Amino acid sequence: MNFFEQQDHAHRESKKLIFLFILAVIAIVITINLSLALLWQWYSAGQPGGGRLPAGFYLMTSVAVLLCIGAGTAFEMFRLRDGGDAVAQMAGGRLVAPDSRDMHERRLLNVVEEMSLAAGIACPNVYLLDEEDAINAFAAGYHQNEAVVAVTRGTLHRLTRDELQGVVAHEFSHILNGDMRMNIQLIGVLFGIQMLALFGRGLIEWGARFGGSRNRDDKGPPIGLVMLAAGVVLFVLGYLGIFFGRLIQSAVSRQREFLADASAVQFTRNPQGIGGALQKIGGLTEETGCGSAIQSQRAEQLSHLFLGAARPNFLSGLFATHPPLEERLQRVYGRQVRFVQAEELNDNEFSDTPAAASGFAAAASAPVSASTSAFPSGGNQDVQWGHHRNAATASGTAFPQAAASATDDMSLLQSACREPQSARALMCALLLDVTQLQAYQLQWQYIQQAAPELATQVKTLQIALANSGNSARLHWIDLAMPALKSCSEQQKASLLQLVAQLTGADGKLSENEFVLQTVLERRLSPNAARAVKVRYADLTMLKAETVLLISLLLSGSASQRAQGFAAASAVLPALRLQPTDLRVFAQPGQLDYQEVRQALVQLNQLAPLAKPLLIRAMLAAAQAQQGLDDQRQQELLRGVCAAIDVPIPDLHSMRDTLQH
């Protein structure tokens, strides 16, 4: 079963399990209704008209129960409103500074940066659980634009670079496959169900205190006793709800862990990465019992987020949030393997040399690793689009004529990505256009007026970008995201306003400027971390917008454009595209990009499973024309992916899919 089949299977299974979760809530409501109805009949049996339920009893009870669950869920979701950062802090995590010089932290940051470059998504914030000696990690957040990756101290100190990369790849799978939002929502709903039990416990305490009080006519059971019984009902049913909720939550988590393990192998092309980490978890468990165990008080609540089981469970088969290590290793290696020891690495064993295996991030490691200075050129399709070759090969061919000064420029640009002020300066430098003197002078006026403190850095970084060939502009944005996201809201707004001024200095918007501005706005605007509401089920509802993007991507002669459009049409048979639908732009540089921007806003409201079909069609069109070697098409595709919140696909797998 290949990656895409596993992904589809996991999505279908998860939907079934979530449906069961809804049924569990309905069962709780029904059971509480029936139980309270019996209590009411018992309480009112000795009164006139006793045994008769008040009008609207079931409706009011159902509303009250749902409100209790909803209020608890809302309260917990409010506490987690900051998404991944809030969850990481809840687990006891410490934010790792993007410019950290600690040897272990630097290696972790490098690996995370590699993965974000290869995936084509914003580099997430990185947290370290300093008090946890186990080998474990998790990804959390509502949206890929505000995701975080957190690892334990034991992960940093016990895993080799290959194994660390496998662990990070596993967590990136949770980001790319949309598991994070569902995981946080499950936390909220379970807390809401727990509110019933907490309310029941309060009634039990109240009933025990006033158990002897009787009703006014001294008939029927004491009110306190009734409250005590009602409290017991709510308490028992609340925890039964938690029981079944955790049962379903665990089943959801196990499905996603199998997919994430498969994705880690797919991304890194190296089963020893995630496999070695799982072997060491098993070995550490046998040796010390530590394994993947998390000591935080929130471990049980957050258990389904982690790479490995955060807490042992006596009903491991039912409540295990993770499949058995033996079964996971069997799937990774295709055979049974032994656990291995997980001793802490000494300084001689510690290395930040990029993995020698071919994989999702191997080639992308070049721009961020301390051991190499190469950066993937804009024309390197394998690096740009997810099918990565051997790291040594990639780094050896990116800039074969690179001199020491180019190495210094790359180091300067890398450093600029890791500090908020210099990251803002780098964004400005990416938009400077020296080919048009008048517009260039106007751009500098805007910088001097809006951000004079950045001017010196902008000039230095502009020179460094020119020396590096101005390649892979979007990669620098991906790398700079943690530093940019740490800016204040006012600084972000000022930067976006300055970017708009810089792109409009010449009175028109070029394709490159449009792509850069679109990516920055999608990732730094106040709505960047919010999930977009789904309004369109499939591409048939957005035919005109789909045609616009495919037409914008195509270039060359009329016959070449027609060939590319035909290839895209074959991927989208439901749209019934005709050759006459192709739009022709005589001068793309003068296109009104406001129309394109509006199209992207609407396409971002597609159902999640419909978005990859659009990218697949655009890839087919590009491949039919240039074989995906054209830098313009690559950057435009990356910009579209960022605008509609779709990670850059694995080009190798996408090619296989297109061929079939």
Side-chain angles (χ1 to χ4, degrees), residues 135 158 279-291 339-344:
I135 300 173
R158 297 179 186 274
Q279 284 180 284
K280 285 188 175 179
I281 289 177
L284 192 59
T285 301
E286 291 180 341
E287 183 180 353
T288 66
C290 178
F339 297 148
V340 299
Q341 289 187 336
E343 297 179 355
E344 292 196 9

Side-chain angles (χ1 to χ4, degrees), residues 300-572:
E300 184 69 26
Q301 187 179 8
L302 304 176
S303 59
H304 60 294
L305 299 178
F306 282 92
L307 166 75
R311 286 281 173 88
N313 198 292
F314 70 97
L315 292 175
S316 58
L318 292 175
F319 282 91
T321 54
H322 297 71
L325 286 174
E326 294 82 359
E327 186 176 355
R328 294 174 71 178
L329 287 167
Q330 174 74 30
R331 293 200 182 196
V332 169
Y333 288 106
R335 67 183 190 279
Q336 292 185 345
V337 296
R338 296 181 178 179
F339 297 148
V340 299
Q341 289 187 336
E343 297 179 355
E344 292 196 9
L345 304 178
N346 57 44
D347 292 342
N348 294 329
E349 295 174 310
F350 184 85
S351 171
D352 194 29
T353 303
S358 172
F360 183 80
S365 65
V368 291
S369 172
S371 63
T372 179
S373 61
F375 194 84
S377 66
N380 184 337
Q381 60 161 349
D382 287 340
V383 171
Q384 292 275 355
W385 299 102
H387 175 208
H388 303 293
R389 304 163 296 166
N390 183 278
T393 304
S395 63
T397 59
F399 286 105
Q401 305 300 326
S405 59
T407 301
D408 294 338
D409 289 326
M410 287 298 170
S411 298
L412 177 62
L413 293 171
Q414 292 163 21
S415 299
C417 291
R418 295 164 179 156
E419 195 278 323
Q421 178 167 309
S422 57
R424 288 186 291 139
L426 179 58
M427 298 304 102
C428 296
L430 287 169
L431 289 165
L432 292 178
D433 185 4
V434 297
T435 62
Q436 300 185 51
L437 181 59
Q438 186 174 359
Y440 179 68
Q441 292 174 339
L442 184 57
Q443 286 179 321
W444 270 108
Q445 290 180 18
Y446 289 142
I447 293 173
Q448 292 286 359
Q449 293 171 0
E453 73 280 4
L454 301 180
T456 301
Q457 286 181 302
V458 171
K459 187 65 176 178
T460 303
L461 294 171
Q462 179 194 7
I463 296 172
L465 284 169
N467 292 341
S468 68
N470 282 304
S471 62
R473 289 180 294 271
L474 291 181
H475 282 311
W476 294 122
I477 297 180
D478 291 339
L479 279 180
M481 271 303 116
L484 291 173
K485 286 188 291 187
S486 68
C487 296
S488 66
E489 293 303 319
Q490 182 179 357
Q491 289 175 324
K492 293 177 187 177
S494 298
L495 175 62
L496 292 178
Q497 183 177 4
L498 179 56
V499 166
Q501 291 177 318
L502 295 177
T503 56
D506 57 358
K508 60 182 181 181
L509 191 65
S510 70
E511 207 166 74
N512 289 333
E513 291 171 338
F514 168 74
V515 170
L516 290 170
Q517 185 176 5
T518 298
V519 174
L520 286 173
E521 287 181 347
R522 183 66 195 107
R523 293 180 176 173
L524 295 180
S525 69
N527 297 326
R530 298 178 186 174
V532 177
K533 186 176 181 179
V534 174
R535 298 183 183 276
Y536 306 103
D538 53 60
L539 287 171
T540 58
M541 306 174 72
L542 295 172
K543 179 177 178 179
E545 290 75 12
T546 302
V547 169
L548 173 62
L549 287 185
I550 294 174
S551 301
L552 181 63
L553 183 72
L554 299 174
S555 59
S557 65
S559 61
Q560 289 175 323
R561 293 171 62 85
Q563 181 181 2
F565 193 74
S569 302
V571 178
L572 304 171

Side-chain angles (χ1 to χ4, degrees), residues 230-248:
V232 170
V233 168
L234 291 178
F235 184 83
V236 172
L237 291 179
Y239 275 103
L240 276 177
I242 295 173
F243 177 90
F244 287 107
R246 291 204 183 279
L247 190 69
I248 298 169

